[in-house]
Amino acid sequence: MILLDSVTKTYPGDSEPALDHVSLHIEPNEFAFLVGKSGAGKSTLMKMITKEESPDSGKIIIGGIDLDYVKKRHIPGYRRRLGVVFQDFKLLPRRTVYENVAFALEIAGMSGKEIRRTVPKVLELVDLLDQAKKFPDQLSGGQQQRVSIARSVARQPKILIADEPTANLDKLTTQEIIGLLKKINDFGTTILVTTHNEGIVNNLQKRVITLKNGKIVNDQKANGIYKLDETPAPKTPVRKVQTPGHALRPRKVIQ
Ligand code: ADP
């Protein structure tokens, strides 16, 4: 679903790569967190997926599409196939909740009839049907993020990526938003979320991928916990065991 093969990216003027031979495979229907300190390369990896940036080398295949073959004029169409959620919501301030979602569908070429059928369903999913006529500045931060999520899932994307979706929200609202992302994942959407929030990562017990200096240093496939500094454990730890009559020799530890 999301496949990166040895992706390397150095921004012009930088001496160190932002991504250094990153290989990653996220399967259909997975929910994965991407964590790492500031500057680790998380946003750059997200930008590789949305094709805001291109790699210097390596291959990226998203939902079966090889991004090398997505021409510049086709990038907006490609992006509309992804659900993208931002930390600052990016809502249209002069449009109501209903119109914000409807507008995204209009751009995607959906008919008026289909839009009128789809928008209420999506607003119901995010529990905002009763706020449909309000404008973004009449909503709380959590409600605004729910509109933004509604807008990105309205087109039923197979993949949803969210860059720090809870960075501007309080603890309770954060849990609400993560619960909503989990619900969307349960409906079959593959989800990749970057976050600094240790609590939500540890609670959800999903896959956790850790970036450090542009490299994946840890990839916990299930029940992952938030740890930024640990380097990956060797696959077969070797312990020195004293055997009578023999010199010290390493022996494999059976796990
Ligand atoms: P994160 O999202 O984990 O904070 P980023 O992907 O934003 O990390 O940054 C990774 C590295 O790339 C950092 O060293 C950062 O300074 C550098 N970088 C990011 N964007 C740019 C840019 N537009 N131009 C130059 N360097 C950049």
Side-chain angles (χ1 to χ4, degrees):
M1 192 63 13
I2 296 177
L3 188 72
L4 275 73
D5 185 20
S6 201
V7 168
T8 294
K9 167 79 183 174
T10 306
Y11 288 100
D14 282 0
S15 53
E16 299 295 326
L19 293 177
D20 188 0
H21 295 93
V22 168
S23 294
L24 178 65
H25 184 198
I26 298 177
E27 311 253 9
N29 210 10
E30 259 196 289
F31 189 125
F33 286 112
L34 182 64
V35 304
K37 287 182 182 161
S38 188
K42 304 180 297 297
S43 298
T44 303
L45 196 152
M46 292 306 219
K47 285 177 186 164
M48 293 287 141
I49 296 174
T50 56
K51 210 170 157 70
E52 268 173 80
E53 294 286 351
S54 293
D56 301 330
S57 59
K59 186 123 279 331
I60 304 175
I61 298 176
I62 308 295
I65 299 171
D66 183 337
L67 296 199
D68 280 347
Y69 295 97
V70 177
K71 300 230 168 68
K72 213 168 179 177
R73 66 176 189 280
H74 294 138
I75 292 176
Y78 159 72
R79 282 198 195 128
R80 285 199 288 273
R81 298 167 64 121
L82 293 175
V84 186
V85 174
F86 305 93
Q87 58 174 283
D88 57 354
F89 323 135
K90 296 204 192 310
L91 299 177
L92 301 166
R94 291 199 181 80
R95 292 187 187 245
T96 63
V97 167
Y98 183 98
E99 288 163 352
N100 261 278
V101 180
F103 186 62
L105 294 175
E106 216 177 293
I107 290 182
M110 203 181 255
S111 72
K113 191 174 163 195
E114 243 182 309
I115 292 174
R116 285 191 292 279
R117 208 169 47 89
T118 306
V119 179
K121 277 195 207 161
V122 188
L123 289 181
E124 194 172 351
L125 171 80
V126 301
D127 202 14
L128 280 180
L129 203 48
D130 53 351
Q131 312 285 330
K133 289 185 180 149
K134 285 196 177 165
F135 289 89
D137 65 0
Q138 296 173 308
L139 301 174
S140 69
Q143 287 172 325
Q144 290 185 48
Q145 189 56 296
R146 269 150 54 199
V147 180
S148 152
I149 292 172
R151 191 183 49 184
S152 26
V153 298
R155 293 180 297 253
Q156 298 188 294
K158 297 235 166 29
I159 300 170
L160 184 119
I161 64 168
D163 199 358
E164 296 277 357
T166 61
N168 298 325
L169 305 176
D170 61 40
K171 201 172 162 191
L172 207 65
T173 316
T174 292
Q175 279 168 1
E176 236 177 70
I177 294 297
I178 294 299
L180 178 56
L181 292 178
K182 195 170 168 294
K183 188 157 102 180
I184 292 163
N185 176 243
D186 290 341
F187 287 142
T189 303
T190 307
I191 297 195
L192 179 63
V193 181
T194 70
T195 186
H196 277 107
N197 190 316
E198 194 169 340
I200 59 168
V201 173
N202 294 347
N203 274 337
L204 222 59
Q205 303 189 311
K206 296 286 189 187
R207 182 171 176 186
V208 181
I209 301 153
T210 309
L211 273 176
K212 186 177 181 183
N213 301 330
K215 292 192 176 79
I216 293 180
V217 292
N218 209 321
D219 187 352
Q220 305 164 79
K221 294 279 185 326
N223 301 326
I225 56 161
Y226 187 91
K227 42 184 177 181
L228 298 186
D229 281 321
E230 209 186 34
T231 45
K235 283 206 175 86
T236 42
V238 169
R239 194 171 67 195
K240 285 185 175 170
V241 178
Q242 182 89 54
T243 320
H246 291 86
L248 270 179
R249 68 172 184 216
R251 192 195 274 179
K252 268 190 186 167
V253 175
I254 314 282
Q255 290 188 315

